[in-house]
Amino acid sequence: MNLATNGRVVFETVDLNDGKGYDPSTGIFTAPASGMYVFDWTTTTERGKYAFTSVVVNSKIKSWNYCNDTVSKTYQTCSKMTVVKLKQGDKVWIGVFSGPASMLHKYTSFSGYKL
């Protein structure tokens, strides 16, 4: 999967979606209730590539993940967790803050829960 700057990572395979907040067709999580939420995501880059991703809330970047291994030309796996305060209806997704992001879709994941 290669995404340009401001691209949205869409996770089509959903194992658990209690509350139906995540839309696998758009990659957007919509907060079903106000509160504190924990989100984590893992990216695995294609060999010798990079993926600079972020948690985006209502089009504003809240946290960054810099995954880069262009020197040793191997696969690089990077994880990040962040806590954000959301209002009901807020939109959250994983976005690319600098592209192109070259990720192995099978080894890239996103999860979250309300505290």
PDB file of all heavy atoms in Angstrom, residues 3-28:
ATOM      1  N   LEU A   3       0.665   5.392  -0.039  1.00  0.00           N
ATOM      2  CA  LEU A   3      -0.243   6.523   0.131  1.00  0.00           C
ATOM      3  C   LEU A   3       0.530   7.828   0.096  1.00  0.00           C
ATOM      4  O   LEU A   3       1.632   7.928   0.637  1.00  0.00           O
ATOM      5  CB  LEU A   3      -0.980   6.413   1.470  1.00  0.00           C
ATOM      6  CG  LEU A   3      -1.919   5.220   1.621  1.00  0.00           C
ATOM      7  CD1 LEU A   3      -2.401   5.107   3.054  1.00  0.00           C
ATOM      8  CD2 LEU A   3      -3.083   5.346   0.675  1.00  0.00           C
ATOM      9  N   ALA A   4      -0.061   8.835  -0.494  1.00  0.00           N
ATOM     10  CA  ALA A   4       0.552  10.155  -0.578  1.00  0.00           C
ATOM     11  C   ALA A   4       0.315  10.933   0.713  1.00  0.00           C
ATOM     12  O   ALA A   4      -0.464  10.521   1.577  1.00  0.00           O
ATOM     13  CB  ALA A   4      -0.045  10.915  -1.759  1.00  0.00           C
ATOM     14  N   THR A   5       0.990  12.071   0.822  1.00  0.00           N
ATOM     15  CA  THR A   5       0.776  12.970   1.954  1.00  0.00           C
ATOM     16  C   THR A   5      -0.714  13.289   2.079  1.00  0.00           C
ATOM     17  O   THR A   5      -1.388  13.512   1.081  1.00  0.00           O
ATOM     18  CB  THR A   5       1.579  14.268   1.744  1.00  0.00           C
ATOM     19  OG1 THR A   5       2.962  13.930   1.646  1.00  0.00           O
ATOM     20  CG2 THR A   5       1.378  15.234   2.900  1.00  0.00           C
ATOM     21  N   ASN A   6      -1.206  13.275   3.298  1.00  0.00           N
ATOM     22  CA  ASN A   6      -2.619  13.483   3.646  1.00  0.00           C
ATOM     23  C   ASN A   6      -3.517  12.310   3.266  1.00  0.00           C
ATOM     24  O   ASN A   6      -4.736  12.406   3.387  1.00  0.00           O
ATOM     25  CB  ASN A   6      -3.172  14.787   3.053  1.00  0.00           C
ATOM     26  CG  ASN A   6      -2.468  15.995   3.600  1.00  0.00           C
ATOM     27  OD1 ASN A   6      -2.124  16.046   4.775  1.00  0.00           O
ATOM     28  ND2 ASN A   6      -2.216  16.970   2.752  1.00  0.00           N
ATOM     29  N   GLY A   7      -2.927  11.203   2.821  1.00  0.00           N
ATOM     30  CA  GLY A   7      -3.720  10.002   2.545  1.00  0.00           C
ATOM     31  C   GLY A   7      -4.218   9.399   3.842  1.00  0.00           C
ATOM     32  O   GLY A   7      -3.646   9.615   4.915  1.00  0.00           O
ATOM     33  N   ARG A   8      -5.297   8.661   3.753  1.00  0.00           N
ATOM     34  CA  ARG A   8      -5.879   7.999   4.922  1.00  0.00           C
ATOM     35  C   ARG A   8      -5.657   6.503   4.790  1.00  0.00           C
ATOM     36  O   ARG A   8      -5.928   5.922   3.745  1.00  0.00           O
ATOM     37  CB  ARG A   8      -7.364   8.299   5.006  1.00  0.00           C
ATOM     38  CG  ARG A   8      -8.007   7.722   6.251  1.00  0.00           C
ATOM     39  CD  ARG A   8      -9.504   7.989   6.350  1.00  0.00           C
ATOM     40  NE  ARG A   8      -9.850   9.354   6.019  1.00  0.00           N
ATOM     41  CZ  ARG A   8     -10.777   9.674   5.109  1.00  0.00           C
ATOM     42  NH1 ARG A   8     -11.435   8.741   4.463  1.00  0.00           N
ATOM     43  NH2 ARG A   8     -11.053  10.939   4.858  1.00  0.00           N
ATOM     44  N   VAL A   9      -5.167   5.874   5.861  1.00  0.00           N
ATOM     45  CA  VAL A   9      -4.983   4.429   5.870  1.00  0.00           C
ATOM     46  C   VAL A   9      -6.335   3.789   6.158  1.00  0.00           C
ATOM     47  O   VAL A   9      -6.965   4.104   7.167  1.00  0.00           O
ATOM     48  CB  VAL A   9      -3.940   3.996   6.922  1.00  0.00           C
ATOM     49  CG1 VAL A   9      -3.719   2.494   6.862  1.00  0.00           C
ATOM     50  CG2 VAL A   9      -2.622   4.749   6.718  1.00  0.00           C
ATOM     51  N   VAL A  10      -6.769   2.912   5.277  1.00  0.00           N
ATOM     52  CA  VAL A  10      -8.055   2.235   5.438  1.00  0.00           C
ATOM     53  C   VAL A  10      -7.778   0.782   5.804  1.00  0.00           C
ATOM     54  O   VAL A  10      -7.104   0.064   5.066  1.00  0.00           O
ATOM     55  CB  VAL A  10      -8.903   2.319   4.146  1.00  0.00           C
ATOM     56  CG1 VAL A  10     -10.195   1.543   4.305  1.00  0.00           C
ATOM     57  CG2 VAL A  10      -9.177   3.774   3.792  1.00  0.00           C
ATOM     58  N   PHE A  11      -8.293   0.383   6.943  1.00  0.00           N
ATOM     59  CA  PHE A  11      -8.144  -0.990   7.427  1.00  0.00           C
ATOM     60  C   PHE A  11      -9.445  -1.722   7.107  1.00  0.00           C
ATOM     61  O   PHE A  11     -10.448  -1.551   7.805  1.00  0.00           O
ATOM     62  CB  PHE A  11      -7.859  -0.998   8.931  1.00  0.00           C
ATOM     63  CG  PHE A  11      -6.603  -0.246   9.284  1.00  0.00           C
ATOM     64  CD1 PHE A  11      -6.651   1.110   9.584  1.00  0.00           C
ATOM     65  CD2 PHE A  11      -5.382  -0.884   9.291  1.00  0.00           C
ATOM     66  CE1 PHE A  11      -5.507   1.812   9.895  1.00  0.00           C
ATOM     67  CE2 PHE A  11      -4.211  -0.184   9.599  1.00  0.00           C
ATOM     68  CZ  PHE A  11      -4.282   1.158   9.897  1.00  0.00           C
ATOM     69  N   GLU A  12      -9.413  -2.505   6.049  1.00  0.00           N
ATOM     70  CA  GLU A  12     -10.632  -3.152   5.562  1.00  0.00           C
ATOM     71  C   GLU A  12     -11.026  -4.365   6.379  1.00  0.00           C
ATOM     72  O   GLU A  12     -12.198  -4.713   6.457  1.00  0.00           O
ATOM     73  CB  GLU A  12     -10.445  -3.534   4.098  1.00  0.00           C
ATOM     74  CG  GLU A  12     -10.228  -2.317   3.208  1.00  0.00           C
ATOM     75  CD  GLU A  12      -9.618  -2.663   1.870  1.00  0.00           C
ATOM     76  OE1 GLU A  12      -9.083  -3.783   1.708  1.00  0.00           O
ATOM     77  OE2 GLU A  12      -9.672  -1.799   0.989  1.00  0.00           O
ATOM     78  N   THR A  13     -10.059  -5.031   6.997  1.00  0.00           N
ATOM     79  CA  THR A  13     -10.336  -6.201   7.816  1.00  0.00           C
ATOM     80  C   THR A  13     -10.547  -5.737   9.255  1.00  0.00           C
ATOM     81  O   THR A  13      -9.671  -5.104   9.839  1.00  0.00           O
ATOM     82  CB  THR A  13      -9.172  -7.204   7.764  1.00  0.00           C
ATOM     83  OG1 THR A  13      -8.967  -7.576   6.399  1.00  0.00           O
ATOM     84  CG2 THR A  13      -9.473  -8.431   8.598  1.00  0.00           C
ATOM     85  N   VAL A  14     -11.713  -6.028   9.800  1.00  0.00           N
ATOM     86  CA  VAL A  14     -12.064  -5.594  11.150  1.00  0.00           C
ATOM     87  C   VAL A  14     -12.366  -6.827  11.988  1.00  0.00           C
ATOM     88  O   VAL A  14     -13.274  -7.598  11.676  1.00  0.00           O
ATOM     89  CB  VAL A  14     -13.290  -4.649  11.123  1.00  0.00           C
ATOM     90  CG1 VAL A  14     -13.666  -4.235  12.528  1.00  0.00           C
ATOM     91  CG2 VAL A  14     -13.009  -3.439  10.248  1.00  0.00           C
ATOM     92  N   ASP A  15     -11.580  -7.018  13.055  1.00  0.00           N
ATOM     93  CA  ASP A  15     -11.789  -8.166  13.936  1.00  0.00           C
ATOM     94  C   ASP A  15     -12.825  -7.888  15.015  1.00  0.00           C
ATOM     95  O   ASP A  15     -13.567  -8.770  15.406  1.00  0.00           O
ATOM     96  CB  ASP A  15     -10.472  -8.571  14.598  1.00  0.00           C
ATOM     97  CG  ASP A  15      -9.469  -9.111  13.590  1.00  0.00           C
ATOM     98  OD1 ASP A  15      -9.886  -9.760  12.619  1.00  0.00           O
ATOM     99  OD2 ASP A  15      -8.269  -8.857  13.773  1.00  0.00           O
ATOM    100  N   LEU A  16     -12.862  -6.663  15.512  1.00  0.00           N
ATOM    101  CA  LEU A  16     -13.782  -6.299  16.582  1.00  0.00           C
ATOM    102  C   LEU A  16     -14.178  -4.844  16.387  1.00  0.00           C
ATOM    103  O   LEU A  16     -13.327  -3.985  16.188  1.00  0.00           O
ATOM    104  CB  LEU A  16     -13.102  -6.472  17.954  1.00  0.00           C
ATOM    105  CG  LEU A  16     -13.907  -6.111  19.186  1.00  0.00           C
ATOM    106  CD1 LEU A  16     -15.116  -7.032  19.318  1.00  0.00           C
ATOM    107  CD2 LEU A  16     -13.038  -6.221  20.426  1.00  0.00           C
ATOM    108  N   ASN A  17     -15.474  -4.580  16.442  1.00  0.00           N
ATOM    109  CA  ASN A  17     -15.969  -3.220  16.237  1.00  0.00           C
ATOM    110  C   ASN A  17     -17.188  -2.987  17.124  1.00  0.00           C
ATOM    111  O   ASN A  17     -18.259  -2.634  16.646  1.00  0.00           O
ATOM    112  CB  ASN A  17     -16.292  -3.001  14.753  1.00  0.00           C
ATOM    113  CG  ASN A  17     -16.490  -1.545  14.390  1.00  0.00           C
ATOM    114  OD1 ASN A  17     -16.232  -0.647  15.184  1.00  0.00           O
ATOM    115  ND2 ASN A  17     -16.957  -1.312  13.176  1.00  0.00           N
ATOM    116  N   ASP A  18     -16.995  -3.182  18.428  1.00  0.00           N
ATOM    117  CA  ASP A  18     -18.068  -2.953  19.393  1.00  0.00           C
ATOM    118  C   ASP A  18     -18.523  -1.500  19.309  1.00  0.00           C
ATOM    119  O   ASP A  18     -17.696  -0.599  19.332  1.00  0.00           O
ATOM    120  CB  ASP A  18     -17.565  -3.242  20.812  1.00  0.00           C
ATOM    121  CG  ASP A  18     -18.253  -4.416  21.454  1.00  0.00           C
ATOM    122  OD1 ASP A  18     -19.008  -5.109  20.773  1.00  0.00           O
ATOM    123  OD2 ASP A  18     -18.004  -4.626  22.656  1.00  0.00           O
ATOM    124  N   GLY A  19     -19.786  -1.259  19.205  1.00  0.00           N
ATOM    125  CA  GLY A  19     -20.298   0.099  19.088  1.00  0.00           C
ATOM    126  C   GLY A  19     -20.352   0.590  17.659  1.00  0.00           C
ATOM    127  O   GLY A  19     -20.872   1.660  17.387  1.00  0.00           O
ATOM    128  N   LYS A  20     -19.755  -0.172  16.738  1.00  0.00           N
ATOM    129  CA  LYS A  20     -19.783   0.148  15.296  1.00  0.00           C
ATOM    130  C   LYS A  20     -19.227   1.535  14.984  1.00  0.00           C
ATOM    131  O   LYS A  20     -19.673   2.212  14.068  1.00  0.00           O
ATOM    132  CB  LYS A  20     -21.204   0.006  14.733  1.00  0.00           C
ATOM    133  CG  LYS A  20     -21.854  -1.326  15.010  1.00  0.00           C
ATOM    134  CD  LYS A  20     -21.120  -2.447  14.334  1.00  0.00           C
ATOM    135  CE  LYS A  20     -21.852  -3.762  14.560  1.00  0.00           C
ATOM    136  NZ  LYS A  20     -20.982  -4.881  14.724  1.00  0.00           N
ATOM    137  N   GLY A  21     -18.199   1.975  15.721  1.00  0.00           N
ATOM    138  CA  GLY A  21     -17.615   3.288  15.501  1.00  0.00           C
ATOM    139  C   GLY A  21     -16.694   3.365  14.294  1.00  0.00           C
ATOM    140  O   GLY A  21     -16.502   4.427  13.722  1.00  0.00           O
ATOM    141  N   TYR A  22     -16.103   2.216  13.904  1.00  0.00           N
ATOM    142  CA  TYR A  22     -15.150   2.216  12.798  1.00  0.00           C
ATOM    143  C   TYR A  22     -15.838   1.846  11.489  1.00  0.00           C
ATOM    144  O   TYR A  22     -16.568   0.865  11.412  1.00  0.00           O
ATOM    145  CB  TYR A  22     -13.993   1.239  13.060  1.00  0.00           C
ATOM    146  CG  TYR A  22     -12.971   1.260  11.959  1.00  0.00           C
ATOM    147  CD1 TYR A  22     -12.072   2.314  11.849  1.00  0.00           C
ATOM    148  CD2 TYR A  22     -12.922   0.257  11.010  1.00  0.00           C
ATOM    149  CE1 TYR A  22     -11.145   2.363  10.815  1.00  0.00           C
ATOM    150  CE2 TYR A  22     -12.000   0.291   9.977  1.00  0.00           C
ATOM    151  CZ  TYR A  22     -11.120   1.346   9.884  1.00  0.00           C
ATOM    152  OH  TYR A  22     -10.208   1.394   8.861  1.00  0.00           O
ATOM    153  N   ASP A  23     -15.567   2.620  10.449  1.00  0.00           N
ATOM    154  CA  ASP A  23     -16.123   2.359   9.116  1.00  0.00           C
ATOM    155  C   ASP A  23     -15.004   1.826   8.224  1.00  0.00           C
ATOM    156  O   ASP A  23     -14.129   2.590   7.799  1.00  0.00           O
ATOM    157  CB  ASP A  23     -16.702   3.641   8.529  1.00  0.00           C
ATOM    158  CG  ASP A  23     -17.355   3.447   7.171  1.00  0.00           C
ATOM    159  OD1 ASP A  23     -17.115   2.405   6.519  1.00  0.00           O
ATOM    160  OD2 ASP A  23     -18.097   4.342   6.746  1.00  0.00           O
ATOM    161  N   PRO A  24     -15.004   0.515   7.920  1.00  0.00           N
ATOM    162  CA  PRO A  24     -13.926  -0.072   7.121  1.00  0.00           C
ATOM    163  C   PRO A  24     -13.922   0.374   5.652  1.00  0.00           C
ATOM    164  O   PRO A  24     -12.956   0.126   4.950  1.00  0.00           O
ATOM    165  CB  PRO A  24     -14.162  -1.577   7.239  1.00  0.00           C
ATOM    166  CG  PRO A  24     -15.602  -1.718   7.575  1.00  0.00           C
ATOM    167  CD  PRO A  24     -15.978  -0.482   8.348  1.00  0.00           C
ATOM    168  N   SER A  25     -14.948   1.057   5.215  1.00  0.00           N
ATOM    169  CA  SER A  25     -14.938   1.543   3.832  1.00  0.00           C
ATOM    170  C   SER A  25     -14.225   2.896   3.719  1.00  0.00           C
ATOM    171  O   SER A  25     -13.721   3.249   2.652  1.00  0.00           O
ATOM    172  CB  SER A  25     -16.365   1.646   3.279  1.00  0.00           C
ATOM    173  OG  SER A  25     -17.094   2.653   3.948  1.00  0.00           O
ATOM    174  N   THR A  26     -14.147   3.655   4.828  1.00  0.00           N
ATOM    175  CA  THR A  26     -13.502   4.971   4.800  1.00  0.00           C
ATOM    176  C   THR A  26     -12.241   5.047   5.656  1.00  0.00           C
ATOM    177  O   THR A  26     -11.439   5.959   5.488  1.00  0.00           O
ATOM    178  CB  THR A  26     -14.471   6.060   5.299  1.00  0.00           C
ATOM    179  OG1 THR A  26     -14.780   5.807   6.681  1.00  0.00           O
ATOM    180  CG2 THR A  26     -15.740   6.118   4.468  1.00  0.00           C
ATOM    181  N   GLY A  27     -12.102   4.138   6.635  1.00  0.00           N
ATOM    182  CA  GLY A  27     -10.976   4.186   7.563  1.00  0.00           C
ATOM    183  C   GLY A  27     -11.186   5.166   8.698  1.00  0.00           C
ATOM    184  O   GLY A  27     -10.251   5.484   9.428  1.00  0.00           O
ATOM    185  N   ILE A  28     -12.410   5.632   8.875  1.00  0.00           N
ATOM    186  CA  ILE A  28     -12.704   6.633   9.903  1.00  0.00           C
ATOM    187  C   ILE A  28     -13.431   6.001  11.090  1.00  0.00           C
ATOM    188  O   ILE A  28     -14.417   5.274  10.911  1.00  0.00           O
ATOM    189  CB  ILE A  28     -13.553   7.785   9.321  1.00  0.00           C
ATOM    190  CG1 ILE A  28     -12.765   8.530   8.242  1.00  0.00           C
ATOM    191  CG2 ILE A  28     -13.999   8.739  10.428  1.00  0.00           C
ATOM    192  CD1 ILE A  28     -13.565   9.590   7.512  1.00  0.00           C
TER     193      ILE A  28
END
